[in-house]
Amino acid sequence: MAGPARLVFTVRVFVLQQELFCFRMRGKAIDIMRFYPLMASEQPNDILESEYRLAREIGVVRLGEKTFFFRRQRKIYYVPYENIRRCFRRVQLVPARLCCGQGDLPVENFVICSAEGELAQIQLPGERAGKALLEEMKSRVPDAEFGCPKQVSA
């Protein structure tokens, strides 16, 4: 069938990287977001969703008013700022074979730690994102330590 006589009924399903499912039927939208805590502190989903939407985005990380969010595959993980004790950048050199020979590619990661140890290592798009995220975290979590923990040699 073609033209105006054609009955059009479409249901579109969008699955975004942020675990945001948007079902559209005749212009109406229903959003479903799922959040996974890194620690035992559960928060209501509607509060987390509103904070997530208003948060500043740097790569896969979003910095909310009271909560640190990041995406990994289709899940959104979160940890309240009060549980973060240490933050630092970790640059890993990954061996790669390029057209002009072999070399090491730097991969920028951001690590957040609690009192018990490392909570997450989050891969970022580049050095600029890592530096911007670290500076932003210094203003949001002033009582946390910044920088890699010192290695004690025996």
Side-chain angles (χ1 to χ4, degrees):
M1 285 176 153
R6 186 173 127 192
L7 175 64
V8 178
F9 180 79
T10 60
V11 177
R12 293 186 181 143
V13 179
F14 299 100
V15 180
L16 302 176
Q17 295 176 352
Q18 305 162 353
E19 186 73 13
L20 171 64
F21 300 100
C22 185
F23 301 97
R24 293 181 188 248
M25 179 182 282
R26 294 186 186 173
K28 297 179 182 176
I30 303 169
D31 294 336
I32 302 169
M33 298 179 99
R34 292 192 183 146
F35 297 94
Y36 299 89
L38 284 180
M39 300 187 73
S41 62
E42 294 270 340
Q43 294 181 6
N45 204 26
D46 56 342
I47 294 173
L48 289 171
E49 185 175 344
S50 65
E51 188 174 352
Y52 182 81
R53 289 182 190 272
L54 297 173
R56 178 173 180 217
E57 185 174 3
I58 302 174
V60 296
V61 173
R62 287 202 184 202
L63 301 169
E65 190 176 320
K66 298 178 183 177
T67 312
F68 180 90
F69 300 96
F70 69 95
R71 294 186 322 266
R72 184 166 289 155
Q73 296 176 348
R74 295 187 192 193
K75 295 182 178 182
I76 302 172
Y77 294 95
Y78 72 92
V79 61
Y81 291 134
E82 61 198 31
N83 295 341
I84 297 175
R85 298 290 173 246
R86 178 184 298 276
C87 300
F88 59 94
R89 292 173 44 219
R90 179 180 286 159
V91 180
Q92 296 176 322
L93 296 176
V94 178
R97 218 175 260 191
L98 306 170
C99 61
C100 55
Q102 290 184 339
D104 292 333
L105 295 176
V107 176
E108 186 80 23
N109 295 295
F110 190 76
V111 181
I112 55 174
C113 304
S114 68
E116 291 84 35
E118 285 189 16
L119 289 176
Q121 177 174 311
I122 305 146
Q123 187 173 340
L124 297 173
E127 183 180 354
R128 273 183 47 197
K131 288 181 179 179
L133 182 57
L134 192 62
E135 290 303 315
E136 190 70 31
M137 287 296 287
K138 285 180 182 178
S139 66
R140 293 180 189 256
V141 192
D143 56 338
E145 295 178 28
F146 295 93
C148 192
K150 304 292 185 254
Q151 297 292 333
V152 178
S153 58

